[in-house]
Amino acid sequence: MITIEKIEQMQAHIMAERQKGKTIGFVPTMGYLHEGHVALLKRAREENDTVVLSIFVNPLQFGPNEDFERYPRDFERDYAIAKQAGVDIVFYPSVHEMYPHEPSVTVRVHERIDVLCGKSRPGHFDGVATVVTKLFHIVMPHRAYFGMKDAQQVAVIDGLIRDFHFPIELIAVPTVREEDGLAKSSRNVYLSDRERQEASALYAALQKGKATIEAGERDVETVRKAMIDYIERHTSGVIDYVEIYSYPELQPLQSLRGKIILALAVRFTNARLIDNIVMNVQ
Ligand code: PAF
């Protein structure tokens, strides 16, 4: 495994790999790797000749009140995890390397952002789309791997790839879960013992919503209420949102049909947890 810090060097290396006929799988991250990232890396390892992991905490996607400086960083730990997962190249640029001057062009996302988490994070997905566009040009992958835990990010990247004609296959990897269904997240450690027990109710609420639809319910509000009621009865958390939209368009629905997402965000004392499931409704 090698580490590359310079854009020019990364592009030269990848061009040589592509000329040898190798397929490139790319996992973009902000580091501080956890089991969700490892699932992406494993999938990329299975499906490609060369696996590239990028580690870059992107200042453009942090709002003024979100702490870019305090975002956790531990390169040595990440390096060991990446090596274990079979990564070939770690792309690890500095902020100055990625943004040597105030960007003269950025990407603006117009759709799929005014709902769910995007609603409370103005500009966040513009920052994500801008850095992912840059990373795609630098790493030139055949396939890019993103976790479905951030389903809205996957929807935005899906639109980016389509609208900017990137010849890249988007691979959305299912959320990794604890045995009781709780989606794995580095934030779970901020839950008290009691909250940790309660938190399994989030996935159970999504399952309840799914079961209600599978039993024939097609009214959005009825299914939402079933999920809200479940969360309120089983947790002390405060609901941020429980929503149902078309997926990946993230449009409101009159009636439940086609590919849809059931998504929720719940605040506990020191952690805000998100989760979702995507399903096809006949
Ligand atoms: O999901 C993330 O870690 C980031 O949003 C990404 C895709 C690496 C862009 O900075």
Side-chain angles (χ1 to χ4, degrees), residues 8-202:
E8 238 178 73
Q9 205 187 333
M10 185 70 230
Q11 287 178 317
H13 196 92
I14 279 301
M15 243 116 77
E17 293 285 282
R18 289 184 74 114
Q19 260 158 23
K20 285 184 220 153
K22 297 211 171 155
T23 54
I24 316 294
F26 177 39
V27 180
T29 77
M30 299 209 294
Y32 217 69
L33 304 180
H34 52 67
E35 282 163 272
H37 295 119
V38 172
L40 305 182
L41 292 169
K42 280 199 176 138
R43 179 87 184 265
R45 182 67 285 163
E46 280 162 22
E47 296 177 351
N48 302 277
D49 298 318
T50 302
V51 175
V52 181
L53 160 74
S54 68
I55 298 178
F56 178 64
V57 184
N58 172 37
L60 249 57
Q61 69 191 74
F62 287 78
N65 300 320
E66 299 174 356
D67 209 343
F68 164 72
E69 299 296 340
R70 275 180 43 202
Y71 193 86
R73 295 161 170 89
D74 188 343
F75 182 73
E76 271 171 30
R77 185 177 155 275
D78 288 347
Y79 186 92
I81 294 172
K83 200 161 179 195
Q84 175 78 27
V87 170
D88 297 299
I89 305 166
V90 181
F91 179 53
Y92 183 52
S94 66
V95 172
H96 184 262
E97 180 70 10
M98 288 295 278
Y99 303 111
H101 44 73
E102 199 54 32
S104 56
V105 179
T106 57
V107 179
R108 178 105 186 267
V109 184
H110 299 279
E111 284 179 358
R112 310 179 178 187
I113 52 165
D114 52 354
V115 296
L116 308 180
C117 295
K119 198 152 92 179
S120 54
R121 300 186 78 183
H124 168 71
F125 285 113
D126 293 349
V128 170
T130 300
V131 81
V132 169
T133 298
K134 286 166 76 81
L135 289 168
F136 280 173
H137 286 304
I138 296 165
V139 177
M140 297 177 244
H142 295 88
R143 301 188 186 90
Y145 295 79
F146 291 85
M148 273 307 283
K149 171 104 193 310
D150 290 318
Q152 190 168 21
Q153 174 165 275
V154 172
V156 167
I157 302 299
D158 171 78
L160 177 76
I161 287 177
R162 180 198 62 190
D163 286 9
F164 284 5
H165 316 288
F166 282 108
I168 294 173
E169 188 185 352
L170 170 62
I171 312 283
V173 178
T175 303
V176 183
R177 299 184 178 281
E178 303 287 355
E179 261 180 33
D180 65 358
L182 176 65
K184 291 211 186 207
S185 159
S186 29
R187 294 198 179 87
N188 293 350
V189 296
Y190 300 129
L191 299 168
S192 69
D193 289 349
R194 189 178 140 215
E195 288 174 336
R196 171 60 193 83
Q197 298 243 307
E198 293 173 3
S200 62
L202 304 191

